[in-house]
Short mmCIF file of all heavy atoms in Angstrom, two decimals:
data_model
loop_
_atom_site.label_atom_id
_atom_site.label_comp_id
_atom_site.label_asym_id
_atom_site.label_seq_id
_atom_site.Cartn_x
_atom_site.Cartn_y
_atom_site.Cartn_z
N THR U 29 -6.42 34.30 16.96
CA THR U 29 -5.46 35.02 16.16
C THR U 29 -5.13 34.23 14.88
O THR U 29 -5.43 33.05 14.79
CB THR U 29 -4.16 35.27 16.95
OG1 THR U 29 -3.53 34.04 17.20
CG2 THR U 29 -4.42 36.06 18.22
N GLN U 30 -4.46 34.88 13.98
CA GLN U 30 -4.10 34.22 12.72
C GLN U 30 -3.12 33.07 12.97
O GLN U 30 -3.21 32.02 12.35
CB GLN U 30 -3.50 35.21 11.75
CG GLN U 30 -3.26 34.61 10.38
CD GLN U 30 -2.79 35.66 9.37
OE1 GLN U 30 -2.67 36.82 9.69
NE2 GLN U 30 -2.55 35.22 8.17
N THR U 31 -2.21 33.25 13.93
CA THR U 31 -1.25 32.19 14.23
C THR U 31 -1.95 30.96 14.77
O THR U 31 -1.63 29.84 14.41
CB THR U 31 -0.20 32.68 15.26
OG1 THR U 31 0.43 33.84 14.74
CG2 THR U 31 0.84 31.62 15.55
N ASP U 32 -2.96 31.15 15.63
CA ASP U 32 -3.72 30.01 16.16
C ASP U 32 -4.45 29.28 15.06
O ASP U 32 -4.54 28.07 15.07
CB ASP U 32 -4.74 30.49 17.21
CG ASP U 32 -4.05 31.00 18.47
OD1 ASP U 32 -2.91 30.57 18.75
OD2 ASP U 32 -4.66 31.83 19.17
N ASN U 33 -5.00 30.01 14.09
CA ASN U 33 -5.69 29.39 12.97
C ASN U 33 -4.73 28.55 12.13
O ASN U 33 -5.09 27.48 11.67
CB ASN U 33 -6.37 30.44 12.09
CG ASN U 33 -7.56 31.07 12.77
OD1 ASN U 33 -8.14 30.50 13.68
ND2 ASN U 33 -7.91 32.27 12.32
N LEU U 34 -3.51 29.03 11.96
CA LEU U 34 -2.52 28.27 11.19
C LEU U 34 -2.14 27.00 11.93
O LEU U 34 -2.00 25.95 11.33
CB LEU U 34 -1.28 29.13 10.92
CG LEU U 34 -1.46 30.29 9.96
CD1 LEU U 34 -0.17 31.11 9.88
CD2 LEU U 34 -1.85 29.80 8.58
N LYS U 35 -1.97 27.08 13.24
CA LYS U 35 -1.61 25.92 14.03
C LYS U 35 -2.69 24.86 13.99
O LYS U 35 -2.40 23.68 14.10
CB LYS U 35 -1.32 26.33 15.47
CG LYS U 35 -0.04 27.09 15.66
CD LYS U 35 0.16 27.43 17.12
CE LYS U 35 1.40 28.28 17.31
NZ LYS U 35 1.55 28.68 18.71
N ALA U 36 -3.93 25.25 13.85
CA ALA U 36 -5.05 24.32 13.85
C ALA U 36 -4.98 23.39 12.64
O ALA U 36 -5.58 22.33 12.65
CB ALA U 36 -6.37 25.07 13.87
N HIS U 37 -4.27 23.78 11.60
CA HIS U 37 -4.20 22.99 10.38
C HIS U 37 -2.88 22.21 10.25
O HIS U 37 -2.58 21.69 9.21
CB HIS U 37 -4.39 23.90 9.17
CG HIS U 37 -5.71 24.59 9.17
ND1 HIS U 37 -6.89 23.94 8.85
CD2 HIS U 37 -6.04 25.86 9.47
CE1 HIS U 37 -7.89 24.79 8.95
NE2 HIS U 37 -7.41 25.95 9.32
N VAL U 38 -2.12 22.17 11.33
CA VAL U 38 -0.86 21.43 11.34
C VAL U 38 -0.92 20.40 12.46
O VAL U 38 -1.24 20.71 13.60
CB VAL U 38 0.34 22.37 11.56
CG1 VAL U 38 1.62 21.59 11.69
CG2 VAL U 38 0.44 23.38 10.41
N ILE U 39 -0.62 19.14 12.10
CA ILE U 39 -0.57 18.07 13.08
C ILE U 39 0.89 17.71 13.29
O ILE U 39 1.61 17.44 12.33
CB ILE U 39 -1.35 16.83 12.57
CG1 ILE U 39 -2.81 17.17 12.37
CG2 ILE U 39 -1.20 15.67 13.55
CD1 ILE U 39 -3.59 16.09 11.65
N THR U 40 1.33 17.74 14.53
CA THR U 40 2.71 17.38 14.86
C THR U 40 2.71 16.22 15.84
O THR U 40 2.05 16.28 16.88
CB THR U 40 3.45 18.58 15.50
OG1 THR U 40 3.37 19.68 14.60
CG2 THR U 40 4.90 18.24 15.77
N ARG U 41 3.42 15.17 15.48
CA ARG U 41 3.58 13.99 16.33
C ARG U 41 5.06 13.63 16.33
O ARG U 41 5.54 12.99 15.39
CB ARG U 41 2.75 12.80 15.83
CG ARG U 41 1.26 13.02 15.78
CD ARG U 41 0.67 12.98 17.19
NE ARG U 41 -0.77 13.18 17.14
CZ ARG U 41 -1.36 14.31 17.50
NH1 ARG U 41 -0.64 15.32 17.95
NH2 ARG U 41 -2.66 14.43 17.44
N GLY U 42 5.77 14.12 17.33
CA GLY U 42 7.21 13.88 17.37
C GLY U 42 7.88 14.55 16.19
O GLY U 42 7.74 15.77 15.99
N ASP U 43 8.59 13.78 15.36
CA ASP U 43 9.30 14.30 14.19
C ASP U 43 8.41 14.40 12.96
O ASP U 43 8.86 14.86 11.90
CB ASP U 43 10.51 13.43 13.85
CG ASP U 43 11.61 13.53 14.90
OD1 ASP U 43 11.71 14.59 15.56
OD2 ASP U 43 12.37 12.58 15.05
N LEU U 44 7.17 13.96 13.07
CA LEU U 44 6.23 13.99 11.94
C LEU U 44 5.41 15.28 11.98
O LEU U 44 4.85 15.64 13.03
CB LEU U 44 5.28 12.79 12.02
CG LEU U 44 4.16 12.76 10.99
CD1 LEU U 44 4.73 12.47 9.60
CD2 LEU U 44 3.12 11.72 11.37
N VAL U 45 5.34 15.98 10.85
CA VAL U 45 4.53 17.18 10.73
C VAL U 45 3.67 17.05 9.48
O VAL U 45 4.19 16.79 8.38
CB VAL U 45 5.39 18.46 10.63
CG1 VAL U 45 4.52 19.69 10.47
CG2 VAL U 45 6.29 18.60 11.86
N LEU U 46 2.35 17.22 9.66
CA LEU U 46 1.42 17.22 8.54
C LEU U 46 0.81 18.60 8.43
O LEU U 46 0.15 19.06 9.35
CB LEU U 46 0.31 16.17 8.76
CG LEU U 46 0.75 14.72 8.85
CD1 LEU U 46 -0.42 13.84 9.25
CD2 LEU U 46 1.35 14.27 7.56
N ASP U 47 1.04 19.26 7.33
CA ASP U 47 0.47 20.58 7.05
C ASP U 47 -0.76 20.37 6.20
O ASP U 47 -0.67 20.10 5.00
CB ASP U 47 1.50 21.46 6.33
CG ASP U 47 0.98 22.87 6.06
OD1 ASP U 47 -0.25 23.05 5.97
OD2 ASP U 47 1.81 23.77 5.94
N ASP U 48 -1.92 20.46 6.83
CA ASP U 48 -3.16 20.13 6.14
C ASP U 48 -3.56 21.14 5.08
O ASP U 48 -4.24 20.80 4.12
CB ASP U 48 -4.29 19.94 7.16
CG ASP U 48 -5.32 18.93 6.71
OD1 ASP U 48 -4.94 17.99 6.00
OD2 ASP U 48 -6.48 19.10 7.07
N ASP U 49 -3.18 22.38 5.25
CA ASP U 49 -3.51 23.40 4.25
C ASP U 49 -2.78 23.16 2.94
O ASP U 49 -3.33 23.31 1.86
CB ASP U 49 -3.18 24.80 4.76
CG ASP U 49 -4.16 25.26 5.83
OD1 ASP U 49 -5.32 24.82 5.79
OD2 ASP U 49 -3.75 26.07 6.67
N ARG U 50 -1.53 22.75 3.05
CA ARG U 50 -0.70 22.54 1.84
C ARG U 50 -0.55 21.07 1.48
O ARG U 50 0.07 20.73 0.47
CB ARG U 50 0.68 23.18 2.05
CG ARG U 50 0.59 24.67 2.29
CD ARG U 50 1.92 25.33 2.41
NE ARG U 50 2.70 24.77 3.51
CZ ARG U 50 4.02 24.84 3.62
NH1 ARG U 50 4.71 25.43 2.69
NH2 ARG U 50 4.64 24.31 4.65
N HIS U 51 -1.13 20.18 2.32
CA HIS U 51 -1.01 18.73 2.11
C HIS U 51 0.45 18.30 1.97
O HIS U 51 0.82 17.60 1.04
CB HIS U 51 -1.85 18.25 0.91
CG HIS U 51 -3.32 18.34 1.20
ND1 HIS U 51 -4.07 19.41 0.84
CD2 HIS U 51 -4.15 17.48 1.83
CE1 HIS U 51 -5.31 19.23 1.22
NE2 HIS U 51 -5.39 18.07 1.83
N ILE U 52 1.25 18.78 2.91
CA ILE U 52 2.68 18.46 2.92
C ILE U 52 2.99 17.69 4.19
O ILE U 52 2.53 18.04 5.29
CB ILE U 52 3.54 19.74 2.86
CG1 ILE U 52 3.34 20.42 1.51
CG2 ILE U 52 5.01 19.43 3.10
CD1 ILE U 52 4.03 21.75 1.39
N CYS U 53 3.76 16.64 4.02
CA CYS U 53 4.23 15.82 5.14
C CYS U 53 5.73 16.00 5.26
O CYS U 53 6.44 15.97 4.25
CB CYS U 53 3.88 14.36 4.89
SG CYS U 53 4.63 13.23 6.07
N SER U 54 6.20 16.16 6.48
CA SER U 54 7.65 16.18 6.67
C SER U 54 8.01 15.30 7.86
O SER U 54 7.24 15.16 8.81
CB SER U 54 8.18 17.60 6.87
OG SER U 54 7.65 18.19 8.02
N TRP U 55 9.19 14.69 7.77
CA TRP U 55 9.73 13.82 8.81
C TRP U 55 11.13 14.31 9.11
O TRP U 55 11.97 14.39 8.20
CB TRP U 55 9.73 12.37 8.33
CG TRP U 55 10.39 11.43 9.28
CD1 TRP U 55 11.63 10.90 9.13
CD2 TRP U 55 9.87 10.95 10.50
NE1 TRP U 55 11.90 10.09 10.20
CE2 TRP U 55 10.83 10.10 11.08
CE3 TRP U 55 8.68 11.16 11.19
CZ2 TRP U 55 10.65 9.47 12.29
CZ3 TRP U 55 8.50 10.52 12.40
CH2 TRP U 55 9.46 9.69 12.93
N GLN U 56 11.37 14.65 10.35
CA GLN U 56 12.66 15.17 10.80
C GLN U 56 13.12 16.33 9.91
O GLN U 56 14.29 16.44 9.56
CB GLN U 56 13.71 14.05 10.82
CG GLN U 56 13.37 12.96 11.80
CD GLN U 56 14.38 11.85 11.83
OE1 GLN U 56 15.13 11.65 10.88
NE2 GLN U 56 14.40 11.11 12.93
N GLY U 57 12.17 17.19 9.55
CA GLY U 57 12.48 18.39 8.78
C GLY U 57 12.60 18.20 7.28
O GLY U 57 12.79 19.16 6.55
N GLN U 58 12.50 16.96 6.80
CA GLN U 58 12.62 16.67 5.38
C GLN U 58 11.23 16.39 4.80
O GLN U 58 10.49 15.56 5.36
CB GLN U 58 13.52 15.46 5.16
CG GLN U 58 14.93 15.65 5.63
CD GLN U 58 15.67 16.69 4.81
OE1 GLN U 58 15.58 16.74 3.60
NE2 GLN U 58 16.42 17.56 5.49
N GLU U 59 10.90 17.02 3.70
CA GLU U 59 9.61 16.79 3.07
C GLU U 59 9.55 15.37 2.51
O GLU U 59 10.52 14.87 1.95
CB GLU U 59 9.40 17.81 1.94
CG GLU U 59 7.97 17.81 1.44
CD GLU U 59 7.71 18.96 0.48
OE1 GLU U 59 8.14 20.09 0.77
OE2 GLU U 59 7.07 18.69 -0.55
N VAL U 60 8.39 14.73 2.70
CA VAL U 60 8.18 13.36 2.25
C VAL U 60 7.08 13.39 1.17
O VAL U 60 6.01 13.95 1.38
CB VAL U 60 7.71 12.45 3.41
CG1 VAL U 60 7.46 11.04 2.93
CG2 VAL U 60 8.73 12.47 4.54
N ASP U 61 7.38 12.82 0.01
CA ASP U 61 6.40 12.75 -1.07
C ASP U 61 5.42 11.61 -0.79
O ASP U 61 5.82 10.46 -0.63
CB ASP U 61 7.06 12.49 -2.43
CG ASP U 61 7.86 13.70 -2.90
OD1 ASP U 61 7.44 14.83 -2.59
OD2 ASP U 61 8.88 13.49 -3.57
N LEU U 62 4.13 11.95 -0.71
CA LEU U 62 3.08 10.96 -0.46
C LEU U 62 1.98 11.12 -1.50
O LEU U 62 1.71 12.24 -1.96
CB LEU U 62 2.46 11.16 0.92
CG LEU U 62 3.36 11.00 2.14
CD1 LEU U 62 2.59 11.35 3.41
CD2 LEU U 62 3.89 9.59 2.24
N THR U 63 1.32 10.02 -1.82
CA THR U 63 0.12 10.11 -2.64
C THR U 63 -0.99 10.69 -1.76
O THR U 63 -0.85 10.78 -0.53
CB THR U 63 -0.32 8.72 -3.14
OG1 THR U 63 -0.72 7.93 -2.01
CG2 THR U 63 0.79 8.02 -3.92
N VAL U 64 -2.09 11.09 -2.38
CA VAL U 64 -3.23 11.62 -1.62
C VAL U 64 -3.71 10.59 -0.61
O VAL U 64 -3.95 10.89 0.55
CB VAL U 64 -4.37 12.03 -2.57
CG1 VAL U 64 -5.62 12.41 -1.78
CG2 VAL U 64 -3.94 13.19 -3.45
N THR U 65 -3.83 9.34 -1.04
CA THR U 65 -4.32 8.28 -0.16
C THR U 65 -3.35 8.06 1.00
O THR U 65 -3.77 7.94 2.16
CB THR U 65 -4.52 6.96 -0.93
OG1 THR U 65 -5.43 7.20 -2.01
CG2 THR U 65 -5.07 5.87 -0.03
N GLU U 66 -2.06 8.02 0.74
CA GLU U 66 -1.06 7.86 1.80
C GLU U 66 -1.14 9.00 2.81
O GLU U 66 -1.10 8.79 4.02
CB GLU U 66 0.34 7.80 1.21
CG GLU U 66 0.63 6.53 0.45
CD GLU U 66 1.92 6.59 -0.35
OE1 GLU U 66 2.40 7.71 -0.68
OE2 GLU U 66 2.45 5.51 -0.67
N TYR U 67 -1.27 10.22 2.31
CA TYR U 67 -1.37 11.39 3.19
C TYR U 67 -2.60 11.29 4.08
O TYR U 67 -2.54 11.50 5.29
CB TYR U 67 -1.43 12.70 2.37
CG TYR U 67 -1.54 13.91 3.25
CD1 TYR U 67 -0.43 14.53 3.77
CD2 TYR U 67 -2.79 14.43 3.59
CE1 TYR U 67 -0.53 15.63 4.60
CE2 TYR U 67 -2.91 15.53 4.42
CZ TYR U 67 -1.78 16.13 4.93
OH TYR U 67 -1.89 17.20 5.76
N LEU U 68 -3.74 10.93 3.48
CA LEU U 68 -4.99 10.85 4.24
C LEU U 68 -4.97 9.72 5.27
O LEU U 68 -5.47 9.88 6.38
CB LEU U 68 -6.18 10.69 3.31
CG LEU U 68 -6.46 11.92 2.42
CD1 LEU U 68 -7.53 11.60 1.40
CD2 LEU U 68 -6.85 13.12 3.27
N LEU U 69 -4.36 8.60 4.93
CA LEU U 69 -4.23 7.51 5.90
C LEU U 69 -3.32 7.93 7.05
O LEU U 69 -3.63 7.67 8.23
CB LEU U 69 -3.69 6.26 5.22
CG LEU U 69 -4.67 5.50 4.35
CD1 LEU U 69 -3.94 4.42 3.54
CD2 LEU U 69 -5.78 4.89 5.17
N LEU U 70 -2.21 8.57 6.73
CA LEU U 70 -1.29 9.03 7.77
C LEU U 70 -1.97 10.07 8.67
O LEU U 70 -1.82 10.04 9.89
CB LEU U 70 -0.03 9.60 7.13
CG LEU U 70 1.12 9.95 8.06
CD1 LEU U 70 1.53 8.75 8.90
CD2 LEU U 70 2.30 10.46 7.25
N LYS U 71 -2.74 10.95 8.07
CA LYS U 71 -3.47 11.95 8.84
C LYS U 71 -4.48 11.29 9.78
O LYS U 71 -4.57 11.65 10.96
CB LYS U 71 -4.19 12.92 7.90
CG LYS U 71 -4.97 13.98 8.64
CD LYS U 71 -5.71 14.89 7.70
CE LYS U 71 -6.60 15.83 8.49
NZ LYS U 71 -7.49 16.60 7.66
N ALA U 72 -5.21 10.30 9.27
CA ALA U 72 -6.20 9.59 10.10
C ALA U 72 -5.51 8.93 11.29
O ALA U 72 -6.02 8.94 12.41
CB ALA U 72 -6.95 8.56 9.26
N LEU U 73 -4.33 8.35 11.07
CA LEU U 73 -3.59 7.71 12.15
C LEU U 73 -3.02 8.75 13.13
O LEU U 73 -3.06 8.56 14.34
CB LEU U 73 -2.46 6.87 11.57
CG LEU U 73 -2.90 5.61 10.82
CD1 LEU U 73 -1.72 5.03 10.04
CD2 LEU U 73 -3.47 4.59 11.78
N ALA U 74 -2.52 9.85 12.61
CA ALA U 74 -1.89 10.87 13.46
C ALA U 74 -2.91 11.63 14.31
O ALA U 74 -2.57 12.09 15.40
CB ALA U 74 -1.12 11.86 12.58
N GLU U 75 -4.14 11.72 13.84
CA GLU U 75 -5.15 12.44 14.61
C GLU U 75 -5.54 11.70 15.87
O GLU U 75 -6.00 12.32 16.84
CB GLU U 75 -6.38 12.71 13.74
CG GLU U 75 -6.14 13.81 12.73
CD GLU U 75 -7.34 14.10 11.86
OE1 GLU U 75 -8.15 13.18 11.61
OE2 GLU U 75 -7.46 15.25 11.42
N ARG U 76 -5.40 10.39 15.87
CA ARG U 76 -5.74 9.59 17.06
C ARG U 76 -4.64 8.56 17.32
O ARG U 76 -4.85 7.36 17.10
CB ARG U 76 -7.09 8.91 16.85
CG ARG U 76 -8.23 9.90 16.81
CD ARG U 76 -9.54 9.20 17.03
NE ARG U 76 -10.61 10.15 17.23
CZ ARG U 76 -11.32 10.70 16.26
NH1 ARG U 76 -11.06 10.42 15.02
NH2 ARG U 76 -12.28 11.55 16.53
N PRO U 77 -3.49 9.02 17.79
CA PRO U 77 -2.38 8.09 18.02
C PRO U 77 -2.73 7.05 19.09
O PRO U 77 -3.44 7.36 20.05
CB PRO U 77 -1.24 8.98 18.47
CG PRO U 77 -1.87 10.25 18.91
CD PRO U 77 -3.16 10.37 18.18
N GLY U 78 -2.28 5.84 18.86
CA GLY U 78 -2.51 4.77 19.83
C GLY U 78 -3.82 4.02 19.64
O GLY U 78 -4.03 2.98 20.25
N MET U 79 -4.72 4.56 18.81
CA MET U 79 -5.99 3.89 18.58
C MET U 79 -5.83 2.83 17.49
O MET U 79 -5.32 3.11 16.42
CB MET U 79 -7.06 4.91 18.18
CG MET U 79 -8.42 4.30 17.96
SD MET U 79 -9.66 5.58 17.72
CE MET U 79 -10.55 5.38 19.24
N VAL U 80 -6.30 1.64 17.79
CA VAL U 80 -6.24 0.55 16.82
C VAL U 80 -7.47 0.61 15.93
O VAL U 80 -8.59 0.79 16.40
CB VAL U 80 -6.19 -0.81 17.54
CG1 VAL U 80 -6.20 -1.95 16.55
CG2 VAL U 80 -4.97 -0.88 18.45
N ARG U 81 -7.23 0.50 14.63
CA ARG U 81 -8.35 0.55 13.67
C ARG U 81 -8.20 -0.58 12.66
O ARG U 81 -7.09 -0.96 12.30
CB ARG U 81 -8.36 1.87 12.92
CG ARG U 81 -8.58 3.06 13.82
CD ARG U 81 -9.15 4.18 13.01
NE ARG U 81 -9.30 5.37 13.79
CZ ARG U 81 -10.47 5.77 14.29
NH1 ARG U 81 -11.54 5.07 14.09
NH2 ARG U 81 -10.53 6.87 14.99
N LYS U 82 -9.33 -1.06 12.19
CA LYS U 82 -9.33 -2.04 11.11
C LYS U 82 -9.07 -1.32 9.80
O LYS U 82 -9.28 -0.10 9.69
CB LYS U 82 -10.69 -2.74 11.04
CG LYS U 82 -10.98 -3.60 12.25
CD LYS U 82 -12.32 -4.27 12.12
CE LYS U 82 -12.60 -5.12 13.34
NZ LYS U 82 -13.88 -5.80 13.24
N ARG U 83 -8.62 -2.07 8.82
CA ARG U 83 -8.32 -1.49 7.50
C ARG U 83 -9.55 -0.75 6.94
O ARG U 83 -9.43 0.37 6.44
CB ARG U 83 -7.91 -2.61 6.53
CG ARG U 83 -7.58 -2.10 5.15
CD ARG U 83 -7.38 -3.25 4.16
NE ARG U 83 -7.00 -2.77 2.87
CZ ARG U 83 -7.85 -2.30 1.95
NH1 ARG U 83 -9.13 -2.23 2.22
NH2 ARG U 83 -7.41 -1.86 0.79
N GLU U 84 -10.71 -1.36 7.05
CA GLU U 84 -11.94 -0.76 6.53
C GLU U 84 -12.23 0.58 7.23
O GLU U 84 -12.62 1.55 6.58
CB GLU U 84 -13.10 -1.70 6.75
CG GLU U 84 -14.42 -1.20 6.18
CD GLU U 84 -15.54 -2.21 6.37
OE1 GLU U 84 -15.42 -3.32 5.83
OE2 GLU U 84 -16.51 -1.85 7.06
N GLN U 85 -11.99 0.64 8.53
CA GLN U 85 -12.22 1.89 9.26
C GLN U 85 -11.25 2.97 8.79
O GLN U 85 -11.66 4.13 8.63
CB GLN U 85 -12.02 1.66 10.77
CG GLN U 85 -13.09 0.80 11.41
CD GLN U 85 -12.74 0.47 12.85
OE1 GLN U 85 -11.62 0.05 13.15
NE2 GLN U 85 -13.69 0.65 13.75
N LEU U 86 -10.01 2.59 8.58
CA LEU U 86 -9.02 3.56 8.10
C LEU U 86 -9.38 4.09 6.72
O LEU U 86 -9.29 5.29 6.46
CB LEU U 86 -7.62 2.94 8.06
CG LEU U 86 -6.91 2.83 9.38
CD1 LEU U 86 -5.63 2.04 9.22
CD2 LEU U 86 -6.62 4.21 9.96
N MET U 87 -9.77 3.20 5.83
CA MET U 87 -10.14 3.62 4.48
C MET U 87 -11.38 4.54 4.52
O MET U 87 -11.42 5.56 3.82
CB MET U 87 -10.39 2.42 3.58
CG MET U 87 -9.13 1.61 3.30
SD MET U 87 -7.75 2.56 2.65
CE MET U 87 -8.37 2.97 1.02
N ASP U 88 -12.36 4.20 5.33
CA ASP U 88 -13.55 5.05 5.48
C ASP U 88 -13.17 6.42 6.01
O ASP U 88 -13.65 7.45 5.53
CB ASP U 88 -14.59 4.40 6.38
CG ASP U 88 -15.30 3.22 5.76
OD1 ASP U 88 -15.22 3.05 4.51
OD2 ASP U 88 -15.94 2.46 6.52
N LEU U 89 -12.29 6.44 7.01
CA LEU U 89 -11.83 7.71 7.60
C LEU U 89 -11.10 8.54 6.56
O LEU U 89 -11.34 9.75 6.42
CB LEU U 89 -10.91 7.42 8.76
CG LEU U 89 -11.37 7.85 10.15
CD1 LEU U 89 -10.48 7.26 11.19
CD2 LEU U 89 -11.48 9.33 10.26
N ALA U 90 -10.17 7.93 5.85
CA ALA U 90 -9.39 8.64 4.85
C ALA U 90 -10.30 9.19 3.76
O ALA U 90 -10.13 10.34 3.33
CB ALA U 90 -8.33 7.72 4.25
N LEU U 91 -11.24 8.40 3.29
CA LEU U 91 -12.14 8.86 2.23
C LEU U 91 -13.03 9.99 2.73
O LEU U 91 -13.31 10.92 2.01
CB LEU U 91 -12.98 7.71 1.69
CG LEU U 91 -12.20 6.72 0.85
CD1 LEU U 91 -13.08 5.53 0.45
CD2 LEU U 91 -11.64 7.38 -0.40
N SER U 92 -13.48 9.92 3.99
CA SER U 92 -14.33 10.98 4.52
C SER U 92 -13.54 12.28 4.65
O SER U 92 -14.09 13.37 4.49
CB SER U 92 -14.92 10.59 5.87
OG SER U 92 -13.96 10.58 6.89
N LEU U 93 -12.23 12.19 4.92
CA LEU U 93 -11.38 13.38 4.97
C LEU U 93 -11.20 14.00 3.61
O LEU U 93 -11.03 15.20 3.46
CB LEU U 93 -10.01 13.04 5.58
CG LEU U 93 -9.97 12.62 7.04
CD1 LEU U 93 -8.60 12.10 7.42
CD2 LEU U 93 -10.39 13.75 7.94
N TYR U 94 -11.21 13.16 2.59
CA TYR U 94 -10.99 13.61 1.21
C TYR U 94 -12.23 14.29 0.63
O TYR U 94 -12.13 15.24 -0.12
CB TYR U 94 -10.57 12.41 0.35
CG TYR U 94 -10.22 12.78 -1.06
CD1 TYR U 94 -9.08 13.53 -1.35
CD2 TYR U 94 -11.03 12.38 -2.12
CE1 TYR U 94 -8.74 13.86 -2.65
CE2 TYR U 94 -10.70 12.72 -3.42
CZ TYR U 94 -9.56 13.44 -3.69
OH TYR U 94 -9.24 13.77 -4.98
N LEU U 95 -13.39 13.76 0.98
CA LEU U 95 -14.64 14.28 0.40
C LEU U 95 -15.13 15.48 1.08
O LEU U 95 -15.11 16.19 1.73
CB LEU U 95 -15.72 13.20 0.44
CG LEU U 95 -15.35 11.93 -0.32
CD1 LEU U 95 -16.43 10.87 -0.10
CD2 LEU U 95 -15.19 12.20 -1.80
#
């Protein structure tokens, strides 16, 4: 359904919400201004919570999400 498709583009982790279609981040209901790089790094971390990554891995992940 259309609602399921919309949910697929939103990542929610507790009070953190990332709307991937609009590239909007909110924390506890308040919109947070992020640069593109900050958003992509946060998205990479939120997609796999608890996983430890090296800086290089995070940057590669973020750049692959951008391209």
Side-chain angles (χ1 to χ4, degrees):
T29 66
Q30 187 174 359
T31 304
D32 292 335
N33 289 338
L34 291 175
K35 288 181 184 177
H37 299 285
V38 175
I39 299 170
T40 303
R41 299 285 180 255
D43 291 332
L44 175 70
V45 178
L46 298 173
D47 182 334
D48 211 31
D49 287 332
R50 299 184 301 158
H51 290 94
I52 293 174
C53 171
S54 62
W55 174 256
Q56 297 180 338
Q58 298 294 317
E59 192 171 316
V60 179
D61 290 327
L62 298 175
T63 65
V64 172
T65 303
E66 290 169 338
Y67 179 87
L68 293 172
L69 286 170
L70 189 56
K71 179 182 174 188
L73 291 167
E75 286 180 331
R76 293 197 170 88
M79 181 172 250
V80 177
R81 297 204 184 258
K82 294 180 180 180
R83 180 188 183 279
E84 183 178 299
Q85 291 173 312
L86 282 173
M87 293 306 291
D88 288 345
L89 245 169
L91 288 175
S92 72
L93 293 171
Y94 184 69
L95 301 175

